[in-house]
Amino acid sequence: MSDKEQHILAKRGLAATWIYLIILIGGVPLLGTLGAIEIKPISLNELGDLLAGAFGPLAIFWIVLGFFQQGRELQNSVATLELQAKELANSVTQQKELVSVTRETLEQERQVLSFKENQRKKALQPTLQISFQNSGSSGQNRFVHDLRIVNTGESVSNFSANLVSGTEKICSISAVHFKNDGTLDSRHYGKIEKFDGILDLVIEYTDRDGEITGQLYGIKYVEQSDRAKYVITLRET
């Protein structure tokens, strides 16, 4: 209940009380004069009973008035609590939305940082151009093959490349430092001009971050009329 409502209720209660007292004080002598009641001296016990009977209704009136006032205050308290509950629910919803937005923002930042880190790591890797070709024969069905690796990317260290057929190492190349625009060559003499399946070229090196990285290439023979051709594909890193 607002202060204004309390003031109005109290004002009406006082007005009703004054009307009752006026009727009580003025009505009793009037009724006595008219002979409706007999006015005579009474004892203290009778005076107490008279006052209790006269002001009892007034007391009950104020009790009832207070009951209605408390009822209205209770309704206002319930309404206030409901409003606070709604505000709390809205606050919780807003906090959830804020947490969701924050989570999305952090995820976007994580993706950006991950992308930048991947780009940085990619910039530290060598760019390898690999060629494998038949350079001729050396008699008795032995063929000469040249493996060449050119680095057009970042310089690396502890570089090694092993050409493997099954469990047999065909040829290998290694360098302590494989710099940008560097070239590594290896020649093989053997019977691998025409072969079934795919040869594995296993490459390993250490980048400038000190991390060891491996790459696996596949070399496949392709039949041609004039000379042998080999297709090189990156299989995994």
Side-chain angles (χ1 to χ4, degrees):
M1 179 180 293
S2 65
D3 293 339
K4 184 178 180 180
E5 291 176 339
Q6 290 180 352
H7 178 72
I8 293 174
L9 189 60
K11 187 175 181 180
R12 291 177 179 177
L14 289 174
T17 301
W18 279 111
I19 293 173
Y20 180 80
L21 291 175
I22 291 172
I23 294 174
L24 180 64
I25 296 173
V28 171
L30 179 61
L31 292 174
T33 303
L34 296 175
I37 61 174
E38 182 181 358
I39 300 177
K40 62 180 181 177
I42 58 177
S43 64
L44 290 178
N45 290 335
E46 292 175 335
L47 178 61
D49 293 338
L50 175 63
L51 293 177
F55 291 99
L58 186 62
I60 295 174
F61 169 75
W62 278 103
I63 291 174
V64 173
L65 193 66
F67 173 77
F68 281 110
Q69 181 178 357
Q70 290 180 353
R72 290 186 179 181
E73 290 178 352
L74 182 60
Q75 289 178 353
N76 292 336
S77 298
V78 171
T80 302
L81 290 175
E82 290 178 350
L83 180 60
Q84 291 177 350
K86 290 180 180 180
E87 292 178 350
L88 181 60
N90 292 334
S91 177
V92 171
T93 301
Q94 292 175 357
Q95 290 295 327
K96 289 182 178 179
E97 293 177 353
L98 180 60
V99 169
S100 178
V101 172
T102 302
R103 185 183 293 111
E104 291 177 358
T105 302
L106 291 176
E107 178 61 21
Q108 291 176 356
E109 291 178 354
R110 186 194 66 80
Q111 292 178 358
V112 170
L113 291 176
S114 178
F115 175 77
K116 290 182 178 180
E117 177 62 17
N118 290 335
Q119 292 297 106
R120 188 189 71 83
K121 289 294 296 181
K122 185 177 180 180
L124 296 179
Q125 306 307 309
T127 301
L128 304 179
Q129 297 178 357
I130 303 171
S131 62
F132 183 76
Q133 59 184 2
N134 180 3
S135 300
S137 61
S138 59
Q140 298 180 353
N141 294 324
R142 296 177 63 84
F143 302 94
V144 180
H145 293 85
D146 291 322
L147 174 64
R148 169 168 289 186
I149 303 177
V150 179
N151 180 16
T152 59
E154 187 65 30
S155 299
V156 293
S157 59
N158 301 321
F159 182 88
S160 66
N162 297 298
L163 184 61
V164 180
S165 176
T167 58
E168 178 186 359
K169 182 186 293 185
I170 298 174
C171 63
S172 63
I173 298 176
S174 63
V176 177
H177 299 288
F178 194 10
K179 298 182 179 181
N180 174 263
D181 291 334
T183 301
L184 299 175
D185 292 293
S186 178
R187 173 162 289 186
H188 169 72
Y189 298 89
K191 300 178 180 180
I192 62 169
E193 181 185 24
K194 298 180 180 179
F195 56 87
D196 296 327
I198 299 176
L199 298 179
D200 292 328
L201 179 62
V202 183
I203 295 178
E204 190 176 83
Y205 56 85
T206 304
D207 61 23
R208 290 174 55 187
D209 278 348
E211 294 187 6
I212 299 176
T213 303
Q215 296 180 357
L216 176 62
Y217 291 84
I219 301 178
K220 182 178 182 180
Y221 169 78
V222 179
E223 181 73 32
Q224 287 191 339
S225 59
D226 53 345
R227 59 180 299 180
K229 181 180 179 181
Y230 304 91
V231 177
I232 303 175
T233 57
L234 177 64
R235 296 171 62 183
E236 63 180 59
T237 58

